[in-house]
Amino acid sequence: MGPRSTEERLGWLLSAPATLVTLAVAAYPILYAVWLSLFRYDLRFPDQRAFIGLQNYLTVLTSPLWWESLMNTVVITGGSVSVELVLGMALAILMHRALFARRTLRASILVPYGIITVVSALAWKFAFDPVTGFVNPLLNVEHAWLGERWSAFLVIILTEIWKTTPFMALLLLAGLTLVPPELLDAALVDGASRRQRFFRITLPLMKPAILVALLFRTLDAFRVFDTVFIQTRGAQGTESVSVVGYQTLITRLNLGLGSAVSVLIFLCVVGIALAFIGGFGTELARGEERG
Amino acid sequence: MRDRARIVRLPASLLLLLAACGGRDPASGRLGWYVFDERSGSFEEAARRCSDASAGAYRIEIVPLPADADQQREQLIRRLAAGDPDIDIMGMDVIWTAEFAAAGWILPWQEEPAAAVSAGRLEGPLRSARYRDRLWAVPFTTNAQILWYRADRIPEPPATWDAMIETAQELREGGRIAVQGERYEGLTVFFASLLASAGGRVLEEGAGVVQEEEGSASEGAFAVPRDAQGAALEGADSGVALSPQPTREALRILHRLATSSAADPGLDRAREDQARIAFESGDASFMVNYTFVWASARQNAPEVAEHMAWARWPAVLPDRPSRVTVGGINLGVSAHSPHPEEAFEAAACLASEENQRIAAARAGLPPTTAALYDEPAVRETFPFADLLRETLRDAVQRPQTPLYADVSLAIARVLHPLGDLDPGAGALRLREAVARALRSQGLF
């Protein structure tokens, strides 16, 4: 019992109000959703509500639609996050090394991220429209992009990349600025090439920032809804898990089944977060101690 | 000390502002009419006329809903399930009657007023507003699809779908047929019309009816289909009709159309508007669509409009006239309305003949009162008035079940995309999917 633990206790007390509010606002809906998912509950027939245990989960997990949408979501997540990482890194380096108009450059790169997702999804939907869009004449093809599964995926992933690469770039830029320039200078003096400096010094030192950026983006990309809903409404086999949840919960007013879908999405997201933190938590901790 | 006072004042004043915003005085005699935003203003006009005619008893205020029927339903059911007292009158799509009635969200008309508002209405729209022998809404406007074609390219309109596909394939220019092939309600409408024209139906008579007695708690089913005597229909397909012959015929035509050269490249994403655009641009010489395209073509593409002709929706079987599903708007009264008597009166007024005339003239929405089709003004708006009346006389209903939303989703999912449809296997999958939908099972 020393000064350290009273300080800790004071810390807990001071943050208690905020923690309690967050728990109430965030935890209550989650717990309520879990509770609802144990019932057969259709809002159109509220009197026929009945407790059925885990049967809703069984229905969801044995439905081919769920697994197809899960795969779709993984495709969209993997496709968009991987490209965003590379592009975001390139943009971050650009912003870091800009010789002039640094602030304007940084601000203008953030514009796509500032546009509302619905607006950007619509804009790209119109761009890829086979009759009125500009993409077909530009590429000299006659293709109904959103009419086929894989080209629709391409459009959705492209829209996601266009929209959130700036966010990645911003997070990576923050990591980039933390790399001590003396290390790079020393390496330059020692005769390291640009590639070696980037891959042997910059990247390893940026690992915590990269992991944070990846974690955020993957969690967000897994819950993609706006883009898919606006561009294809989930048709052509491009449904993401969130769209399935929406249709079950809001279009069909099936609270039991829809809550089961929501809880499963939540579990997947928690799984992703744990995988990142658990798998690379040591990296993050090391980064914290040094930074 | 002063800073602290300032810090308290700001949130306090914001709270007061919020409190002032919410809550409407329930005694004000305001009736909320939730209906889609009719851009020519005919609904506003109707609301104003009926408010004036009430001599101060009530004032109808329109709360606009999205243009898309699915989105209108989403906006409404959320509020209805939560018991929102702000809704008094609703502009309901004809397919919602069973669902809203079974869920207890709308009030049925009493015998006498029901007889009064039903008098003189066309049979198709009237049946769409009835469920289990009661009237749940008053038909306001109606709609049905007819065949539109280019008279300068085709001398004689085709009588059947097969003939139309062949004719379109032989055309040198504009050889496309504009239909609705996206995965949405319009696809269900298309299929239901083809099925009805082939002599089939989706559900058995009386199937898909929700029973009030709770006897199926252990079965995991919401609506156990029962026959006329009330006994539960056994078997995996209870309630589903979809006889093999008509179903396969309908699917064959869908598949043939989608794989022929007459299919629009954007078929899988085509709704009514895309079909209209294809016709107006000259790419399509045939189109099946609602009557709004007539006014649209006159306004947007006069060169096309001058050669635009109409005919009955193509038949499926050469000896059997086509039957299409009926659409339109019925006006229902919300069960949570604080002024139900005024709402019934207002709804009856809104659906009266004069307001139907205004809706027809300004918005191009066909009326539901049969006599109006003989009036010169209506016949001028709809030169095809006789064809429309005949079509509506023979029109069929889409499946009238409280689970229609699920059934429609199931059908659209199995059918889409039309190019991949296999008539034999597709018919089987359709039966299974609709049966599952009727038991409210499965993730769609």
Side-chain angles (χ1 to χ4, degrees), chain B residues 117-244:
Chain B
V117 296
S118 307
R121 307 263 180 191
L122 290 163
E123 185 59 29
L126 195 56
R127 256 186 307 133
S128 74
R130 299 187 70 88
Y131 176 64
R132 302 189 74 190
D133 293 326
R134 304 196 71 176
L135 185 73
W136 294 87
V138 53
F140 183 22
T141 66
T142 182
N143 226 323
Q145 287 197 347
I146 58 181
L147 172 68
W148 306 87
Y149 67 99
R150 289 287 295 266
D152 55 331
R153 295 177 185 165
I154 297 113
E156 184 79 35
T160 65
W161 276 92
D162 285 310
M164 183 163 71
I165 296 173
E166 275 158 27
T167 315
Q169 283 177 312
E170 282 160 19
L171 282 176
R172 245 171 296 125
E173 68 154 325
R176 296 212 196 275
I177 305 174
V179 299
Q180 291 87 48
E182 160 139 56
R183 195 183 73 176
Y184 78 125
E185 176 65 24
L187 184 55
T188 308
V189 164
F190 192 8
F191 170 72
S193 302
L194 281 173
L195 185 64
S197 304
R201 48 188 304 151
V202 178
L203 296 183
E204 297 286 359
E205 195 88 45
V209 171
V210 175
Q211 300 298 307
E212 280 93 28
E213 325 93 59
E214 181 56 49
S216 55
S218 56
E219 281 178 41
F222 280 113
V224 179
R226 295 173 192 271
D227 62 13
Q229 281 72 48
L233 292 167
E234 294 302 326
D237 287 351
S238 6
V240 181
L242 286 176
S243 339

Side-chain angles (χ1 to χ4, degrees), chain A residues 40 42-45 48 63 65 125 146 231-236 239 246-248 250-253 257, chain B residues 71 73-74 77 81 99 103 105 183 210 214 217 220 222 268-269 402-403 406 409 413 416 442-444:
Chain A
R40 183 193 76 207
D42 186 316
L43 266 186
R44 287 170 299 185
F45 318 115
Q48 295 191 15
S63 156
L65 177 62
K125 181 179 180 187
L146 289 170
Q231 293 189 335
T232 60
R233 273 252 164 160
Q236 263 80 249
E239 233 153 351
Y246 175 86
Q247 281 179 350
T248 314
I250 300 203
T251 307
R252 295 176 65 205
L253 283 186
L257 215 52
Chain B
Q71 290 175 19
R73 179 179 165 275
E74 274 171 23
I77 59 178
E99 181 180 20
W105 291 336
R183 195 183 73 176
V210 175
E214 181 56 49
F222 280 113
D268 290 332
R269 304 281 307 150
L403 293 159
D406 302 52
L409 266 175
R413 262 182 199 275
H416 187 272
L443 205 61
F444 289 112

Side-chain angles (χ1 to χ4, degrees), chain B residues 62 82 208 313 336 370 392:
Chain B
I62 291 185
W313 212 80
H336 309 294
L392 287 167

